[in-house]
Amino acid sequence: MSLPRSNYDPRRVCLNPFPNFTLGKHKRTMGIYLAGGLFALANWTFLDAAILSAHAHPPYDEPQLPPPVHVSFVDFVPGICSLLGMLVVNLIDKDRVRGDEGFGDSRAVWRARLFLFIGFALMAGGMAGSVTVLILKYILHAYGEQYTYYGYANVSQNVAIMLSAIVLWISQSVGSEYEYNLSI
């Protein structure tokens, strides 16, 4: 039987604490801009696929046939789930998840961690949904490359939103160069 570590707190969920990052003077700002760029790229990629789908032409060898598939509401649902998950994850106060600063309500840390889990579950569900839509709607029906791009754009949107959420979480978790921690 091993003894608990000296800094063990029975209220903690994880034994390993969050790492403390120090990125430098302007790297926090660059991380926030990078997260915004990834978010814009994600939504631009899927919007491009939706616009291409709306203006899709029939195959040139059979002009009387309509295009076999279009982007529909089913394609939008995984992106909406990932977007909601990103918002939930990044709206949570990082100090409350860590359990720092002695919040008055002892259940506040538990609720913050629950919402963090729900946010990551929404992002994971969006990612799983986009892969499912890609496989079931575009790959199994053996559509041409022009039409499978819609599914690949959906998956890339969800990957970029997840990466954006991670970069923004890390960038906001580091201390600012203008932040002072005073303790008595």
Side-chain angles (χ1 to χ4, degrees):
M1 180 171 134
S2 65
L3 295 174
R5 297 188 314 208
S6 62
N7 60 355
Y8 175 74
D9 184 8
R11 296 173 295 167
R12 293 187 58 86
V13 173
C14 300
L15 293 177
N16 298 326
F18 288 123
N20 290 326
F21 294 111
T22 55
L23 295 178
K25 187 173 182 181
H26 296 290
K27 292 188 178 152
R28 178 179 189 224
T29 306
M30 290 185 340
I32 293 171
Y33 286 135
L34 176 66
L38 282 169
F39 182 76
L41 179 69
N43 290 313
W44 177 81
T45 303
F46 185 71
L47 186 63
D48 178 55
I51 291 170
L52 280 175
S53 170
H55 297 287
H57 297 289
Y60 291 112
D61 55 346
E62 298 174 357
Q64 68 275 13
L65 294 177
V69 69
H70 287 285
V71 172
S72 61
F73 181 71
V74 173
D75 298 299
F76 282 91
V77 171
I80 292 169
C81 287
S82 291
L83 174 65
L84 289 175
M86 179 185 176
L87 288 174
V88 167
V89 164
N90 286 303
L91 286 176
I92 295 173
D93 186 18
K94 302 338 177 239
D95 292 332
R96 195 163 291 213
V97 173
R98 288 187 190 116
D100 293 345
E101 299 194 13
F103 289 101
D105 187 8
S106 63
R107 296 179 301 174
V109 175
W110 179 81
R111 285 193 305 254
R113 290 177 182 168
L114 176 68
F115 277 102
L116 185 66
F117 173 76
I118 290 170
F120 278 115
L122 278 168
M123 285 194 295
M127 182 64 195
S130 67
V131 171
T132 302
V133 167
L134 169 68
I135 292 171
L136 293 179
K137 187 174 180 182
Y138 297 106
I139 292 181
L140 286 181
H141 293 289
Y143 293 129
E145 187 176 317
Q146 173 188 1
Y147 303 112
T148 56
Y149 168 71
Y150 307 154
Y152 290 126
N154 197 350
V155 172
S156 65
Q157 175 197 26
N158 286 286
V159 167
I161 286 176
M162 288 179 80
L163 287 175
S164 173
I166 291 168
V167 168
L168 189 60
W169 174 271
I170 291 172
S171 297
Q172 288 180 342
S173 294
V174 299
S176 172
E177 61 266 13
Y178 300 111
E179 183 177 301
Y180 298 105
N181 293 324
L182 298 175
S183 61
I184 298 176

